[in-house]
């Protein structure tokens, strides 16, 4: 078979040969080598930081450091672990200088004036499923990865110290040995085991106290029926119909508004007073975020030709109902989802 260029050759070389070539200064070999790890490093940094934009920056910095320090790698078999060590320590350095990221925790009366927005960097950012899952992986692995990127899991992680967060992710999620994690983080093995035990206790306590639950995977036909119904009701501005899809104890939050509402009655009030106001028309585009179904929400006022993106709605589905809705209002974070900023109107559109 005839090869086309150096990169084609690199694609068939074993990792050992690629590492040796990269260490010798071959940039094409280095780029081929790290391509296989870029996605998982992005997910790891996102779990550590709760921010996709920060995670993307840290992955770039990780790869730059790896290139600069390529001569320090002593074992080609340990290349993946070496990258994770660099990425984890960069994340720990970043966490020392940034604010805690979470979701709003104060209950809000939707009939009162809306609270003022609290801008980044205090809120979690959404993560597109397309960047999370390798389409070639088996369904069981995909489901586990989705659970480990859920907003419930991320909120719980924010209650750990940076070191506990790193230990939990490296030991429980990535399944590295305690001795390896101890070496990477410059800790003793007993210190790693102690941090893991404390992290587990904190996560268990948060799961008992927190109303944010990890969504349970639903059979595809059942889930699709619910989502189709949700889209139809939205575009009909049917608030009672939408509320009927919710659990009685469902909650909704809209970062960067620093508050949340709970229960069908308050969510219905919020929708009626803040969303489905006279003269507005709505359209939805389906996507997925943090292992959950999601929709890009677009709006326009009468007389306008196109709809403008306004928010990303992430639905936590429990059984045959919606248990939670996180509405992300920071339009700048939607680029990674491939959502257009405008969509054209269609004949027959009706005002809400």
């Amino acid at each position: 078979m005839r090869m086309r260029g150096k990169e084609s050759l690199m694609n068939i070389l074993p990792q050992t040969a690629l590492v040796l070539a990269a260490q010798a200064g071959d940039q094409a070999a280095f780029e081929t080598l790290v391509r296989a790890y870029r996605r998982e490093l992005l997910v790891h940094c996102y779990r550590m930081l709760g921010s996709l934009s920060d995670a993307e920056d840290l992955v770039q910095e990780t790869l730059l450091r790896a290139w600069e320090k390529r001569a320090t790698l002593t074992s080609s078999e340990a290349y993946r672990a070496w990258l994770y060590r660099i990425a984890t320590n960069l994340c720990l350095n970043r966490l020392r200088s940034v604010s805690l990221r979470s979701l709003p925790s104060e209950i809000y009366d939707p009939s009162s004036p809306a609270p003022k927005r609290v801008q980044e960097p205090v809120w979690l950012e959404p993560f597109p499923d397309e960047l999370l899952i390798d389409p070639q992986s088996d369904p069981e692995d995909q489901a586990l990865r989705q659970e480990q990127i859920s907003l419930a899991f991320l909120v719980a992680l924010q209650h750990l110290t940076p070191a506990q967060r790193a230990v939990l992710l490296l030991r429980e999620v990535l399944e590295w040995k305690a001795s390896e994690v101890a070496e990477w983080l410059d800790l003793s093995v007993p210190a790693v085991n102690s941090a893991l035990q404390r992290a587990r206790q904190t996560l268990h306590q948060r799961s008992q106290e927190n109303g944010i639950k990890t969504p349970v995977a639903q059979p595809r036909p059942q889930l699709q029926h619910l989502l189709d119904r949700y889209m139809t009701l939205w575009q009909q501005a049917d608030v009672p119909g939408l509320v009927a899809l919710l659990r009685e104890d469902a909650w909704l939050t809209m970062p960067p508004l620093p508050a949340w509402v709970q229960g069908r009655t308050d969510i219905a009030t919020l929708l009626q007073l803040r969303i489905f106001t006279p003269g507005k028309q709505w359209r939805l585009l389906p996507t997925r975020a943090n292992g959950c179904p999601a929709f890009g929400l677009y709006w326009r006022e009468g007389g306008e030709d196109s709809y403008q993106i306004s928010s990303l709605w992430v639905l936590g589905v429990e059984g045959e109902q919606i248990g939670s809705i996180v509405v992300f209002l920071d339009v700048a974070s939607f680029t990674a989802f491939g959502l257009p900023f405008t969509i054209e109107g269609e004949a027959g559109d009706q005002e809400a």
Side-chain angles (χ1 to χ4, degrees):
M1 182 175 65
R2 188 176 178 181
M3 292 291 144
R4 292 187 178 181
K6 196 172 189 178
E7 189 173 351
S8 296
L9 178 62
M10 292 300 173
N11 286 334
I12 65 170
L13 288 176
Q15 178 164 300
T16 300
L18 286 173
V19 172
L20 293 175
Q23 286 184 306
D26 189 327
Q27 193 163 3
F30 174 78
E31 291 173 356
T32 300
L33 186 63
V34 300
R35 188 179 303 128
Y37 303 115
R38 187 183 293 270
R39 181 198 300 261
E40 59 180 283
L41 287 172
L42 180 65
V43 174
H44 176 62
C45 291
Y46 173 72
R47 290 191 184 111
M48 285 287 296
L49 302 170
S51 164
L52 176 56
S53 55
D54 286 354
E56 290 173 331
D57 291 343
L58 265 293
V59 170
Q60 291 299 322
E61 191 171 345
T62 295
L63 300 184
L64 178 61
R65 291 282 184 93
W67 173 252
E68 292 173 344
K69 298 179 178 296
R70 60 191 182 276
T72 65
L73 180 67
T74 58
S75 170
S76 59
E77 290 77 16
Y79 196 83
R80 178 171 177 261
W82 185 62
L83 289 176
Y84 268 97
R85 178 176 187 171
I86 296 172
T88 301
N89 281 290
L90 286 173
C91 287
L92 289 172
N93 289 339
R94 177 67 63 90
L95 287 169
R96 295 187 184 103
S97 60
V98 298
S99 303
L100 176 74
R101 287 180 178 267
S102 192
L103 292 176
S105 58
E106 295 183 12
I107 293 182
Y108 161 63
D109 178 359
S111 62
S112 63
K116 292 182 179 180
R117 295 188 178 200
V118 177
Q119 296 298 337
E120 295 289 5
V122 298
W123 307 123
L124 292 173
E125 292 179 359
F127 191 94
D129 279 21
E130 285 190 2
L131 298 181
L132 169 67
I133 296 173
D134 182 352
Q136 306 303 319
S137 62
D138 65 76
E140 207 172 297
D141 181 55
Q142 290 184 18
L144 179 60
R145 286 176 179 270
Q146 288 175 336
E147 181 179 330
Q148 293 169 343
I149 206 76
S150 70
L151 291 170
F153 185 60
L154 290 172
V155 167
L157 286 179
Q158 305 309 303
H159 294 276
L160 306 179
T161 68
Q164 289 173 352
R165 195 181 312 177
V167 168
L168 180 84
L169 292 174
L170 294 171
R171 291 282 289 117
E172 297 271 282
V173 175
L174 295 166
E175 299 180 343
W176 297 108
K177 295 178 181 178
S179 57
E180 294 173 318
V181 174
E183 180 184 353
W184 297 357
L185 302 183
D186 195 23
L187 298 171
S188 66
V189 171
V192 167
N193 291 334
S194 175
L196 179 59
Q197 182 178 7
R198 291 180 181 179
R200 286 170 173 166
Q201 290 172 345
T202 300
L203 290 189
H204 178 71
Q205 181 180 355
R206 294 302 305 176
S207 68
Q208 300 298 315
E209 298 174 355
N210 203 330
I212 303 177
K213 302 174 184 177
T214 300
V216 179
Q218 304 298 316
R220 180 171 290 274
Q222 178 180 311
L223 177 61
Q224 193 57 52
H225 175 74
L226 175 64
L227 299 180
D228 290 344
R229 182 69 177 149
Y230 180 86
M231 284 190 68
T232 299
L233 293 168
W234 244 103
Q235 293 176 176
Q236 293 173 347
D238 185 344
V239 173
L242 284 168
V243 170
L245 299 180
L246 305 178
R247 287 173 53 96
E248 285 285 354
D249 61 349
W251 55 270
L252 181 152
T253 189
M254 305 177 72
L257 297 178
W260 60 293
V261 297
Q262 185 164 28
R264 287 177 173 174
T265 300
D266 279 357
I267 293 176
T269 301
L270 179 70
L271 293 176
Q272 289 167 339
L273 295 181
R274 309 292 180 195
I275 307 297
F276 294 111
T277 54
K280 286 187 178 180
Q281 302 169 334
W282 301 95
R283 285 292 175 267
L284 291 84
L285 288 183
T287 184
R288 288 190 62 85
N290 295 86
C292 293
F295 294 92
L297 182 63
Y298 295 76
W299 73 281
R300 74 173 183 180
E301 296 196 31
E304 296 181 350
D305 294 331
S306 60
Y307 293 81
Q308 309 292 321
I309 195 165
S310 70
S311 50
L312 178 74
W313 293 56
V314 182
L315 310 183
V317 178
E318 301 175 34
E320 298 181 4
Q321 294 178 300
I322 298 169
S324 64
I325 304 174
V326 180
V327 185
F328 292 98
L329 300 176
D330 180 16
V331 176
S333 67
F334 303 160
T335 305
F337 289 83
L339 293 169
F341 283 93
T342 62
I343 56 176
E344 294 304 311
E346 300 174 1
D349 283 349
Q350 300 295 321
E351 288 190 1

